[in-house]
């Protein structure tokens, strides 16, 4: 079967770079939107040029120029958007509505994968303020996609390993401690951790798969469904010592959230739902979803143990 041509929007970002790498590795003709908005950000420009040297195609476009988006979209079969939805970086989710308009007008796209890659927003209708803005905005984009009749796949990748495993699930930490860890509540709520390169590989695997068309792809690598306590125990085994432990109750954590700036509040409420409520695992995947590790057993995903070995 001929592989789809892919346009990646946000290809210089944290996940976007990995999506481009995976797309090229799997043999897709890969286009990267070069937005004039990056201005004189030399690192992003150099990243684009690096991908061009590896066989990627640069196509100029801007969210402020509708026709440029239409022209870019007409070059490909699949569009993947990886613009930021993280408030501590920049929250640009609703910009995708312009991309939806372009895809609708172009009329040739076989599948659109919007910027999701975290908690399934369709299951977060009761999320706390202000963090729910992330889920609400993603649902606005979903409704626009579906009302336009655009074929889609939504990717729910759960916890990015770099943000969660590196800090042993402690907000604000990205490198594991050798001495002390703060547990969130009883630290027994299960979560799901996925290496960012694996997220990209699973995502690219799905784009030509009819089994995932108009469905949500959930990334649930079975060895990576662990509680914070189990993550800490994995690290303790690797370093050969037990960490000193303290804990923050649910009430204390909510109090801490309220003291932070808005951007921090958004992120911390997501931690609350994941680490105190277990929102990633408190449901079964239904007929509208598929699980990535079952569909693509050939992907040898990075386990929590292997990921934490990087810090030794």
């Amino acid at each position: 079967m001929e592989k789809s041509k892919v346009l990646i929007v946000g290809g210089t970002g944290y996940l976007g770079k990995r999506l481009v790498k995976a797309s090229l590795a799997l043999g897709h003709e890969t286009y990267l939107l070069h937005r004039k908005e990056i201005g004189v950000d030399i690192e992003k420009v150099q990243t684009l040029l690096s991908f061009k040297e590896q066989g990627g195609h640069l196509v100029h476009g801007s969210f402020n120029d509708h026709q440029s988006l239409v022209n870019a979209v007409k070059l490909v079969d699949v569009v993947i958007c990886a613009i930021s939805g993280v408030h501590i970086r920049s929250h640009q989710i609703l910009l995708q509505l312009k991309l939806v308009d372009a895809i609708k007008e172009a009329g040739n796209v076989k599948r659109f994968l919007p910027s999701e890659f975290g908690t399934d927003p369709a299951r977060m209708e009761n999320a706390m303020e202000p963090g729910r803005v992330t889920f609400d905005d993603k649902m606005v984009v979903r409704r626009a996609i579906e009302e336009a009749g655009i074929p889609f796949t939504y990717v729910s990748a759960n916890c990015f390993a770099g943000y969660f495993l590196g800090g042993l699930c402690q907000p604000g930490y990205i490198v594991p401690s050798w001495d002390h860890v703060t547990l969130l509540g009883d630290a027994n709520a299960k979560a799901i951790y996925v290496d960012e390169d694996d997220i990209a590989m699973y995502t690219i695997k799905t784009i030509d798969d009819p089994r995932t068309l108009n469905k949500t792809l959930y990334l649930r690598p079975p060895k990576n469904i662990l509680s914070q306590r189990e993550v800490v125990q994995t690290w303790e085994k690797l370093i050969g010592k037990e960490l000193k432990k303290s804990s923050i109750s649910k009430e204390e954590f909510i109090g801490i959230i309220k003291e932070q700036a808005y951007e921090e509040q958004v992120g911390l409420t997501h931690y609350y739902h994941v680490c105190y409520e277990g929102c990633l695992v408190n449901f079964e995947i239904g007929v509208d979803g598929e699980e990535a590790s079952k569909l693509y057993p050939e992907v040898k995903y990075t386990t929590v143990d292997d990921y934490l070995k990087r810090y030794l």
Side-chain angles (χ1 to χ4, degrees):
M1 184 173 120
E2 187 176 348
K3 293 181 181 289
S4 289
K5 297 178 182 178
V6 182
L7 171 67
I8 297 177
V9 181
T12 61
Y14 182 66
L15 182 61
K17 290 183 289 189
R18 293 168 167 85
L19 289 166
V20 175
K21 179 181 175 183
S23 181
L24 291 170
L26 290 178
H28 292 275
E29 189 170 344
T30 304
Y31 293 75
L32 295 88
L33 192 69
H34 179 187
R35 294 186 284 159
K36 65 181 181 181
E37 289 85 356
I38 68 174
V40 293
D41 189 330
I42 189 64
E43 288 190 10
K44 289 186 176 181
V45 172
Q46 289 179 342
T47 297
L48 288 172
L49 292 175
S50 172
F51 286 134
K52 185 173 183 288
E53 290 175 352
Q54 296 171 50
H57 307 284
L58 303 188
V59 53
H60 291 276
S62 168
F63 282 109
N64 297 318
D65 182 348
H66 173 73
Q67 191 58 48
S68 72
L69 293 180
V70 173
N71 294 342
V73 165
K74 284 183 176 179
L75 297 171
V76 300
D77 309 299
V78 173
V79 177
I80 304 174
C81 189
I83 61 176
S84 177
V86 180
H87 278 73
I88 58 172
R89 290 173 177 262
S90 60
H91 184 71
Q92 301 178 326
I93 293 300
L94 292 181
L95 273 180
Q96 293 178 105
L97 295 176
K98 296 183 178 183
L99 192 54
V100 170
D101 288 340
I103 292 171
K104 182 180 179 180
E105 180 175 328
N108 62 291
V109 170
K110 298 177 183 178
R111 192 177 313 212
F112 176 39
L113 286 74
S115 185
E116 295 229 353
F117 305 109
T119 306
D120 181 1
R123 300 185 181 274
M124 299 303 293
E125 64 272 9
N126 296 317
M128 290 170 49
E129 296 283 5
R132 67 171 298 123
V133 65
T134 302
F135 312 121
D136 290 344
D137 284 358
K138 288 180 178 180
M139 290 305 296
V140 169
V141 175
R142 282 193 182 192
R143 285 191 291 271
I145 292 168
E146 293 168 26
E147 288 172 3
I150 297 170
F152 63 84
T153 298
Y154 305 135
V155 179
S156 177
N158 299 302
C159 297
F160 283 26
Y163 282 95
F164 278 81
L165 290 182
L168 303 178
C169 306
Q170 300 171 102
Y173 293 86
I174 57 172
V175 177
S177 171
W178 289 62
D179 302 301
H180 174 268
V181 63
T182 300
L183 302 178
L184 304 182
D186 62 14
N188 290 325
K190 298 282 188 177
I192 307 167
Y193 315 96
V194 190
D195 177 271
E196 290 84 346
D197 288 323
D198 295 340
I199 293 172
M201 185 58 68
Y202 282 126
T203 298
I204 301 301
K205 282 276 187 180
T206 199
I207 63 177
D208 282 328
D209 189 343
R211 297 173 295 178
T212 60
L213 186 62
N214 296 332
K215 290 188 176 183
T216 299
L217 181 73
Y218 294 93
L219 276 53
R220 289 184 169 184
K223 292 182 180 180
N224 290 5
I225 303 175
L226 302 173
S227 66
Q228 183 192 14
R229 189 175 297 277
E230 289 170 322
V231 170
V232 171
Q233 289 170 347
T234 301
W235 175 242
E236 289 175 331
K237 184 176 179 181
L238 287 172
I239 65 175
K241 64 179 286 191
E242 186 173 342
L243 302 181
K244 295 178 181 178
K245 300 176 181 67
S246 56
S247 64
I248 300 177
S249 70
K250 180 185 297 187
E251 294 74 21
E252 289 172 324
F253 194 81
I254 292 174
I256 291 170
I257 293 174
K258 293 178 180 178
E259 296 173 354
Q260 308 305 311
Y262 175 80
E263 293 80 7
E264 297 290 342
Q265 288 187 38
V266 172
L268 288 174
T269 55
H270 296 174
Y271 265 91
Y272 173 83
H273 291 301
V274 170
C275 296
Y276 286 92
E277 296 184 339
C279 68
L280 302 181
V281 296
N282 63 2
F283 63 91
E284 296 295 326
I285 297 173
V287 295
D288 294 328
E290 297 288 348
E291 200 285 303
S293 66
K294 292 179 181 177
L295 291 184
Y296 315 114
E298 69 276 12
V299 176
K300 303 303 180 186
Y301 66 86
T302 302
T303 65
V304 170
D305 184 80
D306 286 337
Y307 193 91
L308 287 175
K309 284 178 181 176
R310 302 175 182 183
Y311 297 98
L312 294 176

